[in-house]
Amino acid sequence: MHTLILSITFSVLVSVFLKLARRCQVRIEQAIAMNYVTACVLCLWLLRPPLESLGQQTPTGWVVLSLLGVLLPAVFLIMATAVRRAGIVLSDTAQRLALIIPILAAFLVFHEALSGLKGLGILMALGALACLLRRPPLQAADTPDTQALSIEQTDDANQTGRRMWLPLLGVWAGYGTIDILFKQMARTGSGFTSTLLLSFILAGVLMGLWLLMRRTQWHARSLLSGILLGALNFSNIYFYIRAHQTYPDNPTLVFAAMNIGVIAIGTLVGAGLFHERLSRTNLAGIGLALAAIVLLFPR
């Protein structure tokens, strides 16, 4: 269970970093690029993947690392587009609703057995998601950051439906697919380390090329902050894969606990550190989330 708790903790810390980055004038895209460099270094230092066998991936391994290498930076860019066109609330909702994709995959792809308690746990998890995503009215006016987002959302309201919903669909499908790919990577056992390293390398190269094409002016503070982001993100992914390896026959637990746990803890952190308002519905969602994880936990 500790692997799941650690993964949730580091994921929440990544969210805290991204929230503070705007206030500290960190250029997120540059921090993301340095994040992959840091992740590669940590992967080599801590996991020590066998370098002589990096090119000896299985056909499935090549598919997984190629998709992850492309999707990790691509989904970040799609998310940025979604926030710009549809607003932060709809974009965050699309990301969290991606939980539906790996839960379906748990039964259709990974052949997990569905019991009565597990089915009830899934329903409670989705209910918790709905409660946690509901925000009190006027919360968007609580901080200068959210005021800017509110103005941006108003301007973007003039976008056509297609321009708004296409990136939202990309966010939903992208995050859901990434969850499934990490589960597939976990099934390779100890061989996941080399697959993970190659994924980070490919993601870093693609992100770097994108920045070079945009003729980016490099920002020292953003690059240095990317080292911290890389450490947090690497830890999040590493423990997430380990959690899947700890519960190989119960992917639903990991998918649901990770997504619901992150947003539940993130909601509490937002209230405690950033003075975000919580409604009774949000608090009920936290209770439902805990109950759902208990039901999904293997007996």
Side-chain angles (χ1 to χ4, degrees), residues 9 29 35 45 78 95 98 102 104 119 122 172 175 184 187-188 198 200 208 224 226 253 262 265 278 280-281 283 288:
T9 300
E29 66 278 4
N35 142 78
W45 179 36
I78 294 171
Q95 179 184 351
L104 288 175
I122 292 171
W172 178 77
Y175 277 104
Q184 188 63 44
R187 299 177 76 184
T188 63
L198 289 173
F200 286 146
L224 289 173
L253 168 67
V262 165
I265 302 301
L278 294 182
R280 293 181 180 177
T281 304
L283 295 175
L288 278 175

Side-chain angles (χ1 to χ4, degrees), residues 65-126:
L65 74 88
S66 298
L67 289 175
L68 278 174
V70 172
L71 284 176
L72 286 173
V75 169
F76 161 71
L77 297 175
I78 294 171
M79 184 68 170
T81 302
V83 169
R84 187 173 67 252
R85 294 184 181 177
I88 190 71
V89 174
L90 286 178
S91 300
D92 186 65
T93 302
Q95 179 184 351
R96 299 309 174 189
L97 288 178
L99 170 64
I100 296 170
I101 297 176
I103 283 183
L104 288 175
F107 302 109
L108 300 178
V109 178
F110 302 114
H111 308 295
E112 182 179 355
L114 179 62
S115 65
L117 280 179
K118 194 169 292 184
L120 179 59
I122 292 171
L123 290 177
M124 292 183 71
L126 295 176

Side-chain angles (χ1 to χ4, degrees), residues 191-205:
F192 86 90
T193 57
S194 59
T195 306
L196 186 62
L197 174 61
L198 289 173
S199 299
F200 286 146
I201 291 174
L202 180 56
V205 168

Side-chain angles (χ1 to χ4, degrees), residues 244-268:
H244 273 299
Q245 292 177 332
T246 303
Y247 305 104
D249 299 322
N250 197 3
T252 299
L253 168 67
V254 181
F255 290 139
M258 184 65 190
N259 283 272
I260 300 300
V262 165
I263 195 169
I265 302 301
T267 298
L268 292 175

Side-chain angles (χ1 to χ4, degrees), residues 35-175:
N35 142 78
Y36 293 125
V37 176
T38 305
C40 288
V41 172
L42 290 174
C43 193
L44 286 168
W45 179 36
L46 298 176
L47 304 184
R48 302 184 184 277
L51 300 181
E52 65 278 1
S53 62
L54 284 181
Q56 301 174 5
Q57 301 289 322
T58 65
T60 300
W62 283 117
V63 171
V64 169
L65 74 88
S66 298
L67 289 175
L68 278 174
V70 172
L71 284 176
L72 286 173
V75 169
F76 161 71
L77 297 175
I78 294 171
M79 184 68 170
T81 302
V83 169
R84 187 173 67 252
R85 294 184 181 177
I88 190 71
V89 174
L90 286 178
S91 300
D92 186 65
T93 302
Q95 179 184 351
R96 299 309 174 189
L97 288 178
L99 170 64
I100 296 170
I101 297 176
I103 283 183
L104 288 175
F107 302 109
L108 300 178
V109 178
F110 302 114
H111 308 295
E112 182 179 355
L114 179 62
S115 65
L117 280 179
K118 194 169 292 184
L120 179 59
I122 292 171
L123 290 177
M124 292 183 71
L126 295 176
L129 186 65
C131 292
L132 290 166
L133 289 176
R134 185 176 178 84
R135 286 291 179 260
L138 303 180
Q139 184 184 9
D142 288 345
T143 67
D145 285 344
T146 50
Q147 284 179 355
L149 286 170
S150 178
I151 294 171
E152 184 178 72
Q153 290 174 29
T154 302
D155 292 339
D156 290 334
N158 296 323
Q159 298 287 346
T160 64
R162 182 180 178 186
R163 282 174 58 81
M164 183 175 71
W165 289 105
L166 278 179
L168 289 176
L169 181 62
V171 168
W172 178 77
Y175 277 104

Side-chain angles (χ1 to χ4, degrees), residues 215-237:
R215 304 190 181 202
T216 299
Q217 293 184 348
W218 302 101
H219 185 231
R221 180 190 300 174
S222 303
L223 294 173
L224 289 173
S225 66
I227 298 175
L228 173 60
L229 177 60
L232 297 175
N233 200 31
F234 169 82
S235 301
N236 167 36
I237 293 173

